[in-house]
PDB file of all heavy atoms in Angstrom:
ATOM      1  N   LEU A 254    -128.408 -65.326 -17.120  1.00  0.00           N
ATOM      2  CA  LEU A 254    -129.794 -65.361 -17.587  1.00  0.00           C
ATOM      3  C   LEU A 254    -130.757 -65.552 -16.422  1.00  0.00           C
ATOM      4  O   LEU A 254    -130.473 -66.295 -15.479  1.00  0.00           O
ATOM      5  CB  LEU A 254    -129.984 -66.508 -18.594  1.00  0.00           C
ATOM      6  CG  LEU A 254    -129.112 -66.478 -19.857  1.00  0.00           C
ATOM      7  CD1 LEU A 254    -129.364 -67.729 -20.692  1.00  0.00           C
ATOM      8  CD2 LEU A 254    -129.382 -65.216 -20.663  1.00  0.00           C
ATOM      9  N   GLU A 255    -131.897 -64.877 -16.479  1.00  0.00           N
ATOM     10  CA  GLU A 255    -132.924 -65.076 -15.453  1.00  0.00           C
ATOM     11  C   GLU A 255    -133.478 -66.488 -15.508  1.00  0.00           C
ATOM     12  O   GLU A 255    -133.775 -67.100 -14.491  1.00  0.00           O
ATOM     13  CB  GLU A 255    -134.053 -64.054 -15.645  1.00  0.00           C
ATOM     14  CG  GLU A 255    -133.665 -62.631 -15.276  1.00  0.00           C
ATOM     15  CD  GLU A 255    -133.245 -62.498 -13.822  1.00  0.00           C
ATOM     16  OE1 GLU A 255    -133.831 -63.197 -12.966  1.00  0.00           O
ATOM     17  OE2 GLU A 255    -132.309 -61.716 -13.542  1.00  0.00           O
ATOM     18  N   ASP A 256    -133.628 -67.017 -16.719  1.00  0.00           N
ATOM     19  CA  ASP A 256    -134.115 -68.379 -16.926  1.00  0.00           C
ATOM     20  C   ASP A 256    -133.027 -69.162 -17.642  1.00  0.00           C
ATOM     21  O   ASP A 256    -132.690 -68.870 -18.795  1.00  0.00           O
ATOM     22  CB  ASP A 256    -135.398 -68.364 -17.761  1.00  0.00           C
ATOM     23  CG  ASP A 256    -135.953 -69.770 -18.010  1.00  0.00           C
ATOM     24  OD1 ASP A 256    -135.358 -70.745 -17.500  1.00  0.00           O
ATOM     25  OD2 ASP A 256    -136.973 -69.881 -18.714  1.00  0.00           O
ATOM     26  N   PRO A 257    -132.436 -70.188 -17.004  1.00  0.00           N
ATOM     27  CA  PRO A 257    -131.362 -70.940 -17.642  1.00  0.00           C
ATOM     28  C   PRO A 257    -131.795 -71.681 -18.900  1.00  0.00           C
ATOM     29  O   PRO A 257    -130.953 -72.107 -19.696  1.00  0.00           O
ATOM     30  CB  PRO A 257    -130.920 -71.923 -16.549  1.00  0.00           C
ATOM     31  CG  PRO A 257    -132.079 -72.016 -15.618  1.00  0.00           C
ATOM     32  CD  PRO A 257    -132.736 -70.677 -15.654  1.00  0.00           C
ATOM     33  N   ASN A 258    -133.117 -71.832 -19.092  1.00  0.00           N
ATOM     34  CA  ASN A 258    -133.622 -72.492 -20.299  1.00  0.00           C
ATOM     35  C   ASN A 258    -133.844 -71.518 -21.459  1.00  0.00           C
ATOM     36  O   ASN A 258    -134.237 -71.919 -22.550  1.00  0.00           O
ATOM     37  CB  ASN A 258    -134.944 -73.210 -19.988  1.00  0.00           C
ATOM     38  CG  ASN A 258    -134.764 -74.316 -18.958  1.00  0.00           C
ATOM     39  OD1 ASN A 258    -133.867 -75.142 -19.092  1.00  0.00           O
ATOM     40  ND2 ASN A 258    -135.596 -74.315 -17.932  1.00  0.00           N
ATOM     41  N   GLN A 259    -133.600 -70.234 -21.196  1.00  0.00           N
ATOM     42  CA  GLN A 259    -133.772 -69.219 -22.233  1.00  0.00           C
ATOM     43  C   GLN A 259    -132.727 -69.380 -23.325  1.00  0.00           C
ATOM     44  O   GLN A 259    -131.539 -69.532 -23.055  1.00  0.00           O
ATOM     45  CB  GLN A 259    -133.656 -67.822 -21.603  1.00  0.00           C
ATOM     46  CG  GLN A 259    -133.774 -66.671 -22.572  1.00  0.00           C
ATOM     47  CD  GLN A 259    -133.557 -65.333 -21.879  1.00  0.00           C
ATOM     48  OE1 GLN A 259    -133.627 -65.254 -20.651  1.00  0.00           O
ATOM     49  NE2 GLN A 259    -133.279 -64.301 -22.649  1.00  0.00           N
ATOM     50  N   ALA A 260    -133.178 -69.352 -24.580  1.00  0.00           N
ATOM     51  CA  ALA A 260    -132.246 -69.491 -25.703  1.00  0.00           C
ATOM     52  C   ALA A 260    -131.481 -68.191 -25.931  1.00  0.00           C
ATOM     53  O   ALA A 260    -132.041 -67.104 -25.802  1.00  0.00           O
ATOM     54  CB  ALA A 260    -133.010 -69.872 -26.973  1.00  0.00           C
ATOM     55  N   VAL A 261    -130.206 -68.317 -26.241  1.00  0.00           N
ATOM     56  CA  VAL A 261    -129.381 -67.162 -26.606  1.00  0.00           C
ATOM     57  C   VAL A 261    -129.307 -67.133 -28.127  1.00  0.00           C
ATOM     58  O   VAL A 261    -128.552 -67.879 -28.744  1.00  0.00           O
ATOM     59  CB  VAL A 261    -127.973 -67.270 -25.987  1.00  0.00           C
ATOM     60  CG1 VAL A 261    -127.123 -66.074 -26.393  1.00  0.00           C
ATOM     61  CG2 VAL A 261    -128.065 -67.381 -24.471  1.00  0.00           C
ATOM     62  N   ILE A 262    -130.121 -66.269 -28.727  1.00  0.00           N
ATOM     63  CA  ILE A 262    -130.223 -66.215 -30.190  1.00  0.00           C
ATOM     64  C   ILE A 262    -129.439 -65.004 -30.667  1.00  0.00           C
ATOM     65  O   ILE A 262    -129.986 -63.913 -30.858  1.00  0.00           O
ATOM     66  CB  ILE A 262    -131.700 -66.151 -30.639  1.00  0.00           C
ATOM     67  CG1 ILE A 262    -132.507 -67.275 -29.961  1.00  0.00           C
ATOM     68  CG2 ILE A 262    -131.811 -66.281 -32.158  1.00  0.00           C
ATOM     69  CD1 ILE A 262    -133.999 -67.201 -30.197  1.00  0.00           C
ATOM     70  N   TRP A 263    -128.146 -65.196 -30.814  1.00  0.00           N
ATOM     71  CA  TRP A 263    -127.253 -64.108 -31.178  1.00  0.00           C
ATOM     72  C   TRP A 263    -126.491 -64.444 -32.455  1.00  0.00           C
ATOM     73  O   TRP A 263    -126.184 -65.602 -32.720  1.00  0.00           O
ATOM     74  CB  TRP A 263    -126.225 -63.864 -30.069  1.00  0.00           C
ATOM     75  CG  TRP A 263    -126.774 -63.266 -28.817  1.00  0.00           C
ATOM     76  CD1 TRP A 263    -128.034 -62.805 -28.608  1.00  0.00           C
ATOM     77  CD2 TRP A 263    -126.060 -63.062 -27.590  1.00  0.00           C
ATOM     78  NE1 TRP A 263    -128.162 -62.324 -27.333  1.00  0.00           N
ATOM     79  CE2 TRP A 263    -126.961 -62.467 -26.683  1.00  0.00           C
ATOM     80  CE3 TRP A 263    -124.766 -63.319 -27.175  1.00  0.00           C
ATOM     81  CZ2 TRP A 263    -126.604 -62.130 -25.390  1.00  0.00           C
ATOM     82  CZ3 TRP A 263    -124.396 -62.986 -25.888  1.00  0.00           C
ATOM     83  CH2 TRP A 263    -125.307 -62.392 -24.998  1.00  0.00           C
ATOM     84  N   ARG A 264    -126.179 -63.391 -33.197  1.00  0.00           N
ATOM     85  CA  ARG A 264    -125.309 -63.561 -34.353  1.00  0.00           C
ATOM     86  C   ARG A 264    -123.848 -63.540 -33.906  1.00  0.00           C
ATOM     87  O   ARG A 264    -123.529 -63.205 -32.778  1.00  0.00           O
ATOM     88  CB  ARG A 264    -125.576 -62.467 -35.389  1.00  0.00           C
ATOM     89  CG  ARG A 264    -126.970 -62.540 -36.004  1.00  0.00           C
ATOM     90  CD  ARG A 264    -127.097 -61.586 -37.182  1.00  0.00           C
ATOM     91  NE  ARG A 264    -128.446 -61.590 -37.723  1.00  0.00           N
ATOM     92  CZ  ARG A 264    -128.890 -62.452 -38.631  1.00  0.00           C
ATOM     93  NH1 ARG A 264    -128.068 -63.389 -39.094  1.00  0.00           N
ATOM     94  NH2 ARG A 264    -130.123 -62.394 -39.077  1.00  0.00           N
ATOM     95  N   GLY A 265    -122.969 -63.890 -34.846  1.00  0.00           N
ATOM     96  CA  GLY A 265    -121.550 -64.042 -34.550  1.00  0.00           C
ATOM     97  C   GLY A 265    -120.897 -62.896 -33.815  1.00  0.00           C
ATOM     98  O   GLY A 265    -120.205 -63.115 -32.812  1.00  0.00           O
ATOM     99  N   PRO A 266    -121.091 -61.637 -34.237  1.00  0.00           N
ATOM    100  CA  PRO A 266    -120.416 -60.523 -33.548  1.00  0.00           C
ATOM    101  C   PRO A 266    -120.792 -60.401 -32.078  1.00  0.00           C
ATOM    102  O   PRO A 266    -119.939 -60.091 -31.243  1.00  0.00           O
ATOM    103  CB  PRO A 266    -120.875 -59.296 -34.354  1.00  0.00           C
ATOM    104  CG  PRO A 266    -121.167 -59.824 -35.710  1.00  0.00           C
ATOM    105  CD  PRO A 266    -121.744 -61.185 -35.480  1.00  0.00           C
ATOM    106  N   LEU A 267    -122.066 -60.639 -31.744  1.00  0.00           N
ATOM    107  CA  LEU A 267    -122.487 -60.562 -30.345  1.00  0.00           C
ATOM    108  C   LEU A 267    -121.856 -61.686 -29.526  1.00  0.00           C
ATOM    109  O   LEU A 267    -121.431 -61.488 -28.386  1.00  0.00           O
ATOM    110  CB  LEU A 267    -124.012 -60.637 -30.245  1.00  0.00           C
ATOM    111  CG  LEU A 267    -124.796 -59.355 -30.565  1.00  0.00           C
ATOM    112  CD1 LEU A 267    -126.281 -59.618 -30.473  1.00  0.00           C
ATOM    113  CD2 LEU A 267    -124.398 -58.232 -29.619  1.00  0.00           C
ATOM    114  N   ILE A 268    -121.796 -62.883 -30.112  1.00  0.00           N
ATOM    115  CA  ILE A 268    -121.185 -64.016 -29.422  1.00  0.00           C
ATOM    116  C   ILE A 268    -119.703 -63.747 -29.168  1.00  0.00           C
ATOM    117  O   ILE A 268    -119.192 -63.960 -28.074  1.00  0.00           O
ATOM    118  CB  ILE A 268    -121.379 -65.311 -30.247  1.00  0.00           C
ATOM    119  CG1 ILE A 268    -122.862 -65.697 -30.275  1.00  0.00           C
ATOM    120  CG2 ILE A 268    -120.533 -66.455 -29.682  1.00  0.00           C
ATOM    121  CD1 ILE A 268    -123.186 -66.859 -31.187  1.00  0.00           C
ATOM    122  N   SER A 269    -119.030 -63.243 -30.194  1.00  0.00           N
ATOM    123  CA  SER A 269    -117.604 -62.935 -30.054  1.00  0.00           C
ATOM    124  C   SER A 269    -117.379 -61.875 -28.981  1.00  0.00           C
ATOM    125  O   SER A 269    -116.436 -61.963 -28.178  1.00  0.00           O
ATOM    126  CB  SER A 269    -117.037 -62.455 -31.389  1.00  0.00           C
ATOM    127  OG  SER A 269    -117.129 -63.472 -32.369  1.00  0.00           O
ATOM    128  N   GLY A 270    -118.252 -60.861 -28.945  1.00  0.00           N
ATOM    129  CA  GLY A 270    -118.130 -59.805 -27.943  1.00  0.00           C
ATOM    130  C   GLY A 270    -118.310 -60.336 -26.533  1.00  0.00           C
ATOM    131  O   GLY A 270    -117.602 -59.922 -25.608  1.00  0.00           O
ATOM    132  N   ALA A 271    -119.262 -61.263 -26.364  1.00  0.00           N
ATOM    133  CA  ALA A 271    -119.500 -61.828 -25.033  1.00  0.00           C
ATOM    134  C   ALA A 271    -118.296 -62.627 -24.560  1.00  0.00           C
ATOM    135  O   ALA A 271    -117.897 -62.549 -23.387  1.00  0.00           O
ATOM    136  CB  ALA A 271    -120.736 -62.719 -25.065  1.00  0.00           C
ATOM    137  N   ILE A 272    -117.683 -63.397 -25.461  1.00  0.00           N
ATOM    138  CA  ILE A 272    -116.508 -64.192 -25.079  1.00  0.00           C
ATOM    139  C   ILE A 272    -115.366 -63.282 -24.653  1.00  0.00           C
ATOM    140  O   ILE A 272    -114.694 -63.528 -23.647  1.00  0.00           O
ATOM    141  CB  ILE A 272    -116.081 -65.095 -26.253  1.00  0.00           C
ATOM    142  CG1 ILE A 272    -117.148 -66.156 -26.510  1.00  0.00           C
ATOM    143  CG2 ILE A 272    -114.739 -65.756 -25.959  1.00  0.00           C
ATOM    144  CD1 ILE A 272    -116.913 -66.979 -27.748  1.00  0.00           C
ATOM    145  N   LYS A 273    -115.141 -62.204 -25.396  1.00  0.00           N
ATOM    146  CA  LYS A 273    -114.069 -61.268 -25.036  1.00  0.00           C
ATOM    147  C   LYS A 273    -114.340 -60.636 -23.674  1.00  0.00           C
ATOM    148  O   LYS A 273    -113.427 -60.439 -22.863  1.00  0.00           O
ATOM    149  CB  LYS A 273    -113.932 -60.198 -26.116  1.00  0.00           C
ATOM    150  CG  LYS A 273    -113.363 -60.712 -27.431  1.00  0.00           C
ATOM    151  CD  LYS A 273    -113.289 -59.634 -28.475  1.00  0.00           C
ATOM    152  CE  LYS A 273    -112.244 -58.594 -28.151  1.00  0.00           C
ATOM    153  NZ  LYS A 273    -112.083 -57.603 -29.236  1.00  0.00           N
ATOM    154  N   GLN A 274    -115.619 -60.320 -23.406  1.00  0.00           N
ATOM    155  CA  GLN A 274    -115.967 -59.741 -22.105  1.00  0.00           C
ATOM    156  C   GLN A 274    -115.713 -60.724 -20.967  1.00  0.00           C
ATOM    157  O   GLN A 274    -115.256 -60.334 -19.890  1.00  0.00           O
ATOM    158  CB  GLN A 274    -117.430 -59.310 -22.093  1.00  0.00           C
ATOM    159  CG  GLN A 274    -117.681 -57.967 -22.756  1.00  0.00           C
ATOM    160  CD  GLN A 274    -119.086 -57.488 -22.473  1.00  0.00           C
ATOM    161  OE1 GLN A 274    -120.059 -58.052 -22.958  1.00  0.00           O
ATOM    162  NE2 GLN A 274    -119.201 -56.452 -21.674  1.00  0.00           N
ATOM    163  N   PHE A 275    -116.000 -62.008 -21.212  1.00  0.00           N
ATOM    164  CA  PHE A 275    -115.790 -63.009 -20.167  1.00  0.00           C
ATOM    165  C   PHE A 275    -114.312 -63.138 -19.813  1.00  0.00           C
ATOM    166  O   PHE A 275    -113.981 -63.549 -18.700  1.00  0.00           O
ATOM    167  CB  PHE A 275    -116.340 -64.367 -20.610  1.00  0.00           C
ATOM    168  CG  PHE A 275    -117.834 -64.478 -20.518  1.00  0.00           C
ATOM    169  CD1 PHE A 275    -118.489 -65.584 -21.028  1.00  0.00           C
ATOM    170  CD2 PHE A 275    -118.586 -63.488 -19.915  1.00  0.00           C
ATOM    171  CE1 PHE A 275    -119.865 -65.701 -20.942  1.00  0.00           C
ATOM    172  CE2 PHE A 275    -119.961 -63.582 -19.820  1.00  0.00           C
ATOM    173  CZ  PHE A 275    -120.598 -64.701 -20.340  1.00  0.00           C
ATOM    174  N   TYR A 276    -113.444 -62.807 -20.736  1.00  0.00           N
ATOM    175  CA  TYR A 276    -112.017 -62.839 -20.430  1.00  0.00           C
ATOM    176  C   TYR A 276    -111.545 -61.501 -19.865  1.00  0.00           C
ATOM    177  O   TYR A 276    -110.854 -61.456 -18.841  1.00  0.00           O
ATOM    178  CB  TYR A 276    -111.205 -63.195 -21.672  1.00  0.00           C
ATOM    179  CG  TYR A 276    -109.712 -63.092 -21.443  1.00  0.00           C
ATOM    180  CD1 TYR A 276    -109.065 -63.988 -20.604  1.00  0.00           C
ATOM    181  CD2 TYR A 276    -108.965 -62.078 -22.035  1.00  0.00           C
ATOM    182  CE1 TYR A 276    -107.700 -63.892 -20.363  1.00  0.00           C
ATOM    183  CE2 TYR A 276    -107.603 -61.973 -21.796  1.00  0.00           C
ATOM    184  CZ  TYR A 276    -106.974 -62.884 -20.972  1.00  0.00           C
ATOM    185  OH  TYR A 276    -105.631 -62.771 -20.738  1.00  0.00           O
ATOM    186  N   GLU A 277    -111.931 -60.398 -20.503  1.00  0.00           N
ATOM    187  CA  GLU A 277    -111.377 -59.090 -20.159  1.00  0.00           C
ATOM    188  C   GLU A 277    -112.074 -58.418 -18.978  1.00  0.00           C
ATOM    189  O   GLU A 277    -111.436 -57.689 -18.209  1.00  0.00           O
ATOM    190  CB  GLU A 277    -111.448 -58.164 -21.377  1.00  0.00           C
ATOM    191  CG  GLU A 277    -110.589 -58.630 -22.545  1.00  0.00           C
ATOM    192  CD  GLU A 277    -110.783 -57.780 -23.778  1.00  0.00           C
ATOM    193  OE1 GLU A 277    -111.684 -56.903 -23.765  1.00  0.00           O
ATOM    194  OE2 GLU A 277    -110.054 -57.984 -24.764  1.00  0.00           O
ATOM    195  N   ASP A 278    -113.384 -58.617 -18.839  1.00  0.00           N
ATOM    196  CA  ASP A 278    -114.149 -57.876 -17.841  1.00  0.00           C
ATOM    197  C   ASP A 278    -114.450 -58.677 -16.581  1.00  0.00           C
ATOM    198  O   ASP A 278    -115.085 -58.163 -15.660  1.00  0.00           O
ATOM    199  CB  ASP A 278    -115.478 -57.393 -18.439  1.00  0.00           C
ATOM    200  CG  ASP A 278    -115.264 -56.403 -19.577  1.00  0.00           C
ATOM    201  OD1 ASP A 278    -114.106 -56.003 -19.790  1.00  0.00           O
ATOM    202  OD2 ASP A 278    -116.243 -56.045 -20.252  1.00  0.00           O
ATOM    203  N   VAL A 279    -114.029 -59.923 -16.542  1.00  0.00           N
ATOM    204  CA  VAL A 279    -114.237 -60.745 -15.347  1.00  0.00           C
ATOM    205  C   VAL A 279    -112.984 -60.698 -14.491  1.00  0.00           C
ATOM    206  O   VAL A 279    -111.868 -60.860 -14.988  1.00  0.00           O
ATOM    207  CB  VAL A 279    -114.563 -62.205 -15.733  1.00  0.00           C
ATOM    208  CG1 VAL A 279    -114.572 -63.098 -14.498  1.00  0.00           C
ATOM    209  CG2 VAL A 279    -115.915 -62.269 -16.428  1.00  0.00           C
ATOM    210  N   HIS A 280    -113.171 -60.442 -13.202  1.00  0.00           N
ATOM    211  CA  HIS A 280    -112.038 -60.372 -12.282  1.00  0.00           C
ATOM    212  C   HIS A 280    -111.691 -61.788 -11.821  1.00  0.00           C
ATOM    213  O   HIS A 280    -112.138 -62.254 -10.769  1.00  0.00           O
ATOM    214  CB  HIS A 280    -112.386 -59.476 -11.095  1.00  0.00           C
ATOM    215  CG  HIS A 280    -111.214 -59.248 -10.190  1.00  0.00           C
ATOM    216  ND1 HIS A 280    -111.354 -58.885  -8.878  1.00  0.00           N
ATOM    217  CD2 HIS A 280    -109.887 -59.343 -10.411  1.00  0.00           C
ATOM    218  CE1 HIS A 280    -110.167 -58.764  -8.331  1.00  0.00           C
ATOM    219  NE2 HIS A 280    -109.261 -59.048  -9.238  1.00  0.00           N
ATOM    220  N   TRP A 281    -110.876 -62.475 -12.630  1.00  0.00           N
ATOM    221  CA  TRP A 281    -110.481 -63.843 -12.325  1.00  0.00           C
ATOM    222  C   TRP A 281    -109.487 -63.898 -11.164  1.00  0.00           C
ATOM    223  O   TRP A 281    -109.353 -64.922 -10.496  1.00  0.00           O
ATOM    224  CB  TRP A 281    -109.863 -64.505 -13.553  1.00  0.00           C
ATOM    225  CG  TRP A 281    -110.809 -64.719 -14.684  1.00  0.00           C
ATOM    226  CD1 TRP A 281    -110.939 -63.967 -15.817  1.00  0.00           C
ATOM    227  CD2 TRP A 281    -111.789 -65.765 -14.792  1.00  0.00           C
ATOM    228  NE1 TRP A 281    -111.927 -64.474 -16.629  1.00  0.00           N
ATOM    229  CE2 TRP A 281    -112.465 -65.579 -16.024  1.00  0.00           C
ATOM    230  CE3 TRP A 281    -112.149 -66.842 -13.984  1.00  0.00           C
ATOM    231  CZ2 TRP A 281    -113.471 -66.422 -16.460  1.00  0.00           C
ATOM    232  CZ3 TRP A 281    -113.161 -67.689 -14.409  1.00  0.00           C
ATOM    233  CH2 TRP A 281    -113.816 -67.477 -15.627  1.00  0.00           C
ATOM    234  N   GLY A 282    -108.734 -62.818 -10.961  1.00  0.00           N
ATOM    235  CA  GLY A 282    -107.733 -62.801  -9.896  1.00  0.00           C
ATOM    236  C   GLY A 282    -106.499 -63.586 -10.286  1.00  0.00           C
ATOM    237  O   GLY A 282    -106.061 -63.572 -11.441  1.00  0.00           O
ATOM    238  N   ILE A 283    -105.932 -64.313  -9.339  1.00  0.00           N
ATOM    239  CA  ILE A 283    -104.716 -65.089  -9.570  1.00  0.00           C
ATOM    240  C   ILE A 283    -105.097 -66.537  -9.845  1.00  0.00           C
ATOM    241  O   ILE A 283    -105.703 -67.206  -8.998  1.00  0.00           O
ATOM    242  CB  ILE A 283    -103.781 -65.008  -8.351  1.00  0.00           C
ATOM    243  CG1 ILE A 283    -103.414 -63.552  -8.063  1.00  0.00           C
ATOM    244  CG2 ILE A 283    -102.519 -65.840  -8.578  1.00  0.00           C
ATOM    245  CD1 ILE A 283    -102.608 -63.355  -6.798  1.00  0.00           C
ATOM    246  N   LEU A 284    -104.755 -67.028 -11.028  1.00  0.00           N
ATOM    247  CA  LEU A 284    -105.058 -68.401 -11.426  1.00  0.00           C
ATOM    248  C   LEU A 284    -103.806 -69.086 -11.953  1.00  0.00           C
ATOM    249  O   LEU A 284    -102.997 -68.482 -12.646  1.00  0.00           O
ATOM    250  CB  LEU A 284    -106.127 -68.434 -12.527  1.00  0.00           C
ATOM    251  CG  LEU A 284    -107.535 -67.935 -12.213  1.00  0.00           C
ATOM    252  CD1 LEU A 284    -108.405 -68.027 -13.465  1.00  0.00           C
ATOM    253  CD2 LEU A 284    -108.162 -68.729 -11.070  1.00  0.00           C
ATOM    254  N   ASP A 285    -103.681 -70.366 -11.622  1.00  0.00           N
ATOM    255  CA  ASP A 285    -102.650 -71.182 -12.266  1.00  0.00           C
ATOM    256  C   ASP A 285    -103.128 -71.609 -13.653  1.00  0.00           C
ATOM    257  O   ASP A 285    -102.348 -71.647 -14.601  1.00  0.00           O
ATOM    258  CB  ASP A 285    -102.350 -72.421 -11.419  1.00  0.00           C
ATOM    259  CG  ASP A 285    -101.726 -72.060 -10.078  1.00  0.00           C
ATOM    260  OD1 ASP A 285    -100.711 -71.345 -10.090  1.00  0.00           O
ATOM    261  OD2 ASP A 285    -102.264 -72.476  -9.036  1.00  0.00           O
ATOM    262  N   TYR A 286    -104.424 -71.940 -13.749  1.00  0.00           N
ATOM    263  CA  TYR A 286    -104.997 -72.389 -15.016  1.00  0.00           C
ATOM    264  C   TYR A 286    -106.376 -71.765 -15.240  1.00  0.00           C
ATOM    265  O   TYR A 286    -107.198 -71.725 -14.320  1.00  0.00           O
ATOM    266  CB  TYR A 286    -105.172 -73.914 -15.038  1.00  0.00           C
ATOM    267  CG  TYR A 286    -103.871 -74.676 -15.143  1.00  0.00           C
ATOM    268  CD1 TYR A 286    -103.238 -75.162 -14.005  1.00  0.00           C
ATOM    269  CD2 TYR A 286    -103.270 -74.916 -16.385  1.00  0.00           C
ATOM    270  CE1 TYR A 286    -102.041 -75.863 -14.087  1.00  0.00           C
ATOM    271  CE2 TYR A 286    -102.083 -75.616 -16.480  1.00  0.00           C
ATOM    272  CZ  TYR A 286    -101.473 -76.082 -15.336  1.00  0.00           C
ATOM    273  OH  TYR A 286    -100.288 -76.770 -15.434  1.00  0.00           O
ATOM    274  N   LEU A 287    -106.603 -71.288 -16.450  1.00  0.00           N
ATOM    275  CA  LEU A 287    -107.943 -70.935 -16.907  1.00  0.00           C
ATOM    276  C   LEU A 287    -108.275 -71.886 -18.049  1.00  0.00           C
ATOM    277  O   LEU A 287    -107.612 -71.881 -19.095  1.00  0.00           O
ATOM    278  CB  LEU A 287    -108.014 -69.487 -17.396  1.00  0.00           C
ATOM    279  CG  LEU A 287    -109.363 -69.052 -17.968  1.00  0.00           C
ATOM    280  CD1 LEU A 287    -110.461 -69.127 -16.908  1.00  0.00           C
ATOM    281  CD2 LEU A 287    -109.290 -67.636 -18.554  1.00  0.00           C
ATOM    282  N   ILE A 288    -109.278 -72.738 -17.840  1.00  0.00           N
ATOM    283  CA  ILE A 288    -109.721 -73.680 -18.860  1.00  0.00           C
ATOM    284  C   ILE A 288    -110.872 -73.038 -19.621  1.00  0.00           C
ATOM    285  O   ILE A 288    -111.842 -72.584 -19.019  1.00  0.00           O
ATOM    286  CB  ILE A 288    -110.175 -75.015 -18.227  1.00  0.00           C
ATOM    287  CG1 ILE A 288    -109.076 -75.585 -17.320  1.00  0.00           C
ATOM    288  CG2 ILE A 288    -110.569 -76.008 -19.316  1.00  0.00           C
ATOM    289  CD1 ILE A 288    -107.778 -75.863 -18.013  1.00  0.00           C
ATOM    290  N   VAL A 289    -110.762 -73.009 -20.959  1.00  0.00           N
ATOM    291  CA  VAL A 289    -111.779 -72.392 -21.798  1.00  0.00           C
ATOM    292  C   VAL A 289    -112.484 -73.493 -22.581  1.00  0.00           C
ATOM    293  O   VAL A 289    -111.862 -74.189 -23.391  1.00  0.00           O
ATOM    294  CB  VAL A 289    -111.167 -71.366 -22.769  1.00  0.00           C
ATOM    295  CG1 VAL A 289    -112.270 -70.682 -23.578  1.00  0.00           C
ATOM    296  CG2 VAL A 289    -110.345 -70.332 -22.010  1.00  0.00           C
ATOM    297  N   ASP A 290    -113.775 -73.657 -22.320  1.00  0.00           N
ATOM    298  CA  ASP A 290    -114.574 -74.661 -23.027  1.00  0.00           C
ATOM    299  C   ASP A 290    -115.132 -74.032 -24.299  1.00  0.00           C
ATOM    300  O   ASP A 290    -116.037 -73.199 -24.247  1.00  0.00           O
ATOM    301  CB  ASP A 290    -115.706 -75.161 -22.119  1.00  0.00           C
ATOM    302  CG  ASP A 290    -116.598 -76.179 -22.818  1.00  0.00           C
ATOM    303  OD1 ASP A 290    -116.068 -76.938 -23.651  1.00  0.00           O
ATOM    304  OD2 ASP A 290    -117.804 -76.209 -22.525  1.00  0.00           O
ATOM    305  N   LEU A 291    -114.587 -74.429 -25.449  1.00  0.00           N
ATOM    306  CA  LEU A 291    -115.004 -73.852 -26.725  1.00  0.00           C
ATOM    307  C   LEU A 291    -116.195 -74.590 -27.312  1.00  0.00           C
ATOM    308  O   LEU A 291    -116.351 -75.796 -27.073  1.00  0.00           O
ATOM    309  CB  LEU A 291    -113.849 -73.911 -27.732  1.00  0.00           C
ATOM    310  CG  LEU A 291    -112.742 -72.867 -27.609  1.00  0.00           C
ATOM    311  CD1 LEU A 291    -111.686 -73.100 -28.673  1.00  0.00           C
ATOM    312  CD2 LEU A 291    -113.313 -71.477 -27.750  1.00  0.00           C
ATOM    313  N   PRO A 292    -117.025 -73.911 -28.104  1.00  0.00           N
ATOM    314  CA  PRO A 292    -118.058 -74.625 -28.848  1.00  0.00           C
ATOM    315  C   PRO A 292    -117.411 -75.481 -29.927  1.00  0.00           C
ATOM    316  O   PRO A 292    -116.259 -75.239 -30.307  1.00  0.00           O
ATOM    317  CB  PRO A 292    -118.898 -73.500 -29.461  1.00  0.00           C
ATOM    318  CG  PRO A 292    -117.967 -72.341 -29.547  1.00  0.00           C
ATOM    319  CD  PRO A 292    -117.049 -72.466 -28.372  1.00  0.00           C
ATOM    320  N   PRO A 293    -118.115 -76.485 -30.438  1.00  0.00           N
ATOM    321  CA  PRO A 293    -117.512 -77.332 -31.469  1.00  0.00           C
ATOM    322  C   PRO A 293    -117.319 -76.581 -32.782  1.00  0.00           C
ATOM    323  O   PRO A 293    -117.987 -75.586 -33.058  1.00  0.00           O
ATOM    324  CB  PRO A 293    -118.529 -78.470 -31.628  1.00  0.00           C
ATOM    325  CG  PRO A 293    -119.826 -77.897 -31.145  1.00  0.00           C
ATOM    326  CD  PRO A 293    -119.464 -76.933 -30.057  1.00  0.00           C
ATOM    327  N   GLY A 294    -116.378 -77.065 -33.569  1.00  0.00           N
ATOM    328  CA  GLY A 294    -116.181 -76.511 -34.908  1.00  0.00           C
ATOM    329  C   GLY A 294    -115.180 -75.372 -34.951  1.00  0.00           C
ATOM    330  O   GLY A 294    -114.449 -75.104 -34.000  1.00  0.00           O
TER     331      GLY A 294
END
């Protein structure tokens, strides 16, 4: 985000798509551990 205080006002499908992209489209390289911080609930 250009402004870290900007609200992300997305419905469920967009949120789910972003999470999948963060796993599939990010070049994490070689990791022993990937810790995923989930939202509550």
